[in-house]
Amino acid sequence: EESRKWLGRTVSVFTEAVNPRNESEIIGRTDRDKKVIFPSEASLIGTFTNVQLTDLRHETFFGLPAE
């Protein structure tokens, strides 16, 4: 599957909102319009941040903030 090729990569994500299912996570989108969920603070909403993609479930990526 094409999306699986992105696992392990670090990508720039535009942070959009707090995850309503888990307030310690942020939902954002890559420049390819892929949804990414990762742990972070609400103060990042509206900014770009680098995220390492670690998992893929259906069409949603999960990741961790990158250094």
Side-chain angles (χ1 to χ4, degrees):
E1 171 176 323
E2 183 69 28
S3 294
R4 289 225 169 262
K5 293 179 183 177
W6 289 90
L7 291 177
R9 294 186 188 181
T10 298
V11 297
S12 180
V13 174
F14 182 73
T15 56
E16 297 178 329
V18 172
N19 183 356
R21 295 180 182 176
N22 183 341
E23 292 185 3
S24 67
E25 295 177 332
I26 298 292
I27 298 172
R29 293 204 175 264
T30 70
D31 61 352
R32 297 175 184 264
D33 203 34
K34 298 291 186 180
K35 184 194 255 186
V36 181
I37 297 176
F38 61 99
S40 192
E41 298 178 8
S43 62
L44 286 182
I45 292 173
T47 66
F48 286 91
T49 190
N50 289 327
V51 177
Q52 182 179 15
L53 304 178
T54 58
D55 194 14
L56 176 65
R57 294 183 215 149
H58 304 286
E59 290 297 315
T60 301
F61 283 101
F62 291 81
L64 296 171
E67 295 291 320

